[in-house]
Amino acid sequence: MRVDRLNIALAAAAALLVCAPASAQQTEPQPNTGADTQPDEIEVIGRRQSEEQARKEANDFVRRTLATSSDDPLARWVSPVCPAVLGIQPEYAAVVERKIRAIARTAEIELAPAPCKSNVVISFATDAKAVVQRIAKKSPRRLAEVQIPDRPALLTGNAPVRWWYTTQETGADGASAVTSDGLAANAGTAEGGGSSIGNGLPTVQAYSSSIIRTQIVRALRSATIVIDVSRAEGVPLDAVAAYAAMVAFAEMKPAQVPPPNSILGLFAPDAKVAGATDWDISFLKALYSIPAARAGWKQRRMLVGKILKDSEAAGQIDNDEDLTEGLAEPKG
């Protein structure tokens, strides 16, 4: 069931969610009773445009959203996703979880059946800034992977939603990365299974070599999303849930100017989107379909190509050029 409009406000002591007066055609949100099997509603943003303009927008979408611009492989979920929603009444938490699970199914992201051990936590708080500062003080290791340039926005910024991740690195063949204090952890060749980095950096045992594959695969271990209800007041609960899903399923960065064709623009002054868009879903599907053991720059190029392919399939590109040309990789 869709929750059309929600005025979010929490009483600090009771952590109660208060709904704004609804119109006669709106209904109160109900607890999740299996309704998450219904298909999710996706906003179609695409419009017919030239291939050149579509490619420019796809590149811009990927550039503005992904947290890393390095050659490191992009992080994504390898284990099934298990969301948990805190800080609001159970019936509203069920609405948020239903939306997140629906978007995961639409984007073909594996979900853990409930009940499960949560690895994605969405917390509603009256003062998100204070919550994150308290975590940073009491459990600093939980924020250890937040880069120094990103810390001020997370700890002292005024964003309605803030988030962070923990990740893990494994070898492309599935071996876990280990940290060695030695300058040379185990000198040897890639073919022979050696690792020659060490010096306190994560290393893996590599059993094959390739000019195409990377030896490291990055995976998300946890995602924590804190929503400041005072700053999100008046925003549809469904929309907030879709926003949370987008940043939960991919390693995103808070963009100063988010892409206009994404739910990530929900809190922009001129926001026109109130749900996950076809571009959002195309991006997530692409992220989970491209090879994990590839350099980040190559994965970003693949993402752009797959977004364009989806736009072409949807009839949103104004020419007959084969956009799949050049996307296939040589074997090696």
Side-chain angles (χ1 to χ4, degrees):
M1 176 183 50
R2 181 187 174 106
V3 183
D4 291 319
R5 199 76 187 165
L6 183 74
N7 213 353
I8 303 179
L10 282 175
L16 299 177
L17 189 71
V18 180
C19 285
S23 68
Q25 297 173 336
Q26 293 173 323
T27 58
E28 291 291 325
Q30 299 297 321
N32 185 1
T33 57
D36 60 356
T37 58
Q38 297 175 359
D40 191 38
E41 297 179 7
I42 303 301
E43 293 196 24
V44 178
I45 301 299
R47 68 275 186 199
R48 291 192 65 81
Q49 56 187 334
S50 69
E51 187 273 337
E52 180 181 1
Q53 182 61 30
R55 184 175 297 277
K56 179 179 178 182
E57 288 195 12
N59 272 295
D60 184 64
F61 189 99
V62 171
R63 177 182 59 82
R64 293 196 199 187
T65 55
L66 289 175
T68 177
S69 58
S70 68
D71 285 343
D72 293 338
L74 307 177
R76 62 190 181 191
W77 289 102
V78 175
S79 56
V81 174
C82 176
V85 183
L86 309 176
I88 53 178
Q89 291 180 344
E91 60 267 34
Y92 298 112
V95 171
V96 175
E97 183 175 340
R98 184 201 71 81
K99 172 63 72 172
I100 291 171
R101 285 182 171 271
I103 290 176
R105 281 192 302 275
T106 303
E108 300 173 6
I109 298 169
E110 186 178 3
L111 287 163
C116 50
K117 183 178 179 180
S118 58
N119 49 20
V120 172
V121 175
I122 301 96
S123 177
F124 289 79
T126 53
D127 188 343
K129 185 189 304 185
V131 169
V132 178
Q133 289 175 350
R134 187 163 57 248
I135 291 173
K137 182 177 180 179
K138 293 186 175 181
S139 306
R141 293 190 60 171
R142 291 173 62 183
L143 305 179
E145 295 187 41
V146 179
Q147 299 298 310
I148 292 176
D150 300 328
R151 285 180 172 267
L154 179 65
L155 294 171
T156 62
N158 296 315
V161 183
R162 60 199 76 203
W163 63 89
W164 66 93
Y165 309 95
T166 62
T167 62
Q168 64 182 3
E169 294 182 344
T170 64
D173 297 314
S176 298
V178 296
T179 300
S180 171
D181 293 329
L183 182 60
N186 177 23
T189 64
E191 292 84 354
S195 172
S196 57
I197 304 291
N199 202 26
L201 298 175
T203 61
V204 297
Q205 297 290 323
Y207 295 95
S208 64
S209 63
S210 171
I211 62 172
I212 297 174
R213 300 175 67 198
T214 61
Q215 299 298 343
I216 289 288
V217 170
R218 297 178 62 246
L220 293 172
R221 291 184 60 202
S222 70
T224 305
I225 300 130
V226 184
I227 298 164
D228 192 310
V229 295
S230 61
R231 297 184 182 277
E233 186 175 357
V235 178
L237 182 58
D238 263 7
V240 174
Y243 187 107
M246 190 67 179
V247 301
F249 296 149
E251 193 178 19
M252 297 285 187
K253 63 182 178 184
Q256 290 186 343
V257 183
N261 47 358
S262 168
I263 186 61
L264 297 176
L266 177 65
F267 297 102
D270 57 346
K272 300 177 181 178
V273 174
T277 70
D278 49 351
W279 279 65
D280 291 329
I281 299 302
S282 179
F283 170 87
L284 290 175
K285 283 185 175 180
L287 178 63
Y288 283 83
S289 67
I290 61 177
R294 297 294 186 273
W297 67 267
K298 176 168 283 191
Q299 291 177 322
R300 289 190 291 275
R301 189 177 69 180
M302 291 178 179
L303 286 174
V304 170
K306 287 183 177 292
I307 291 172
L308 286 172
K309 183 179 178 181
D310 285 350
S311 294
E312 183 185 41
Q316 296 169 0
I317 294 182
D318 249 341
N319 61 39
D320 298 325
E321 182 180 355
D322 182 7
L323 298 177
T324 65
E325 184 178 355
L327 288 179
E329 292 188 90
K331 297 184 178 181

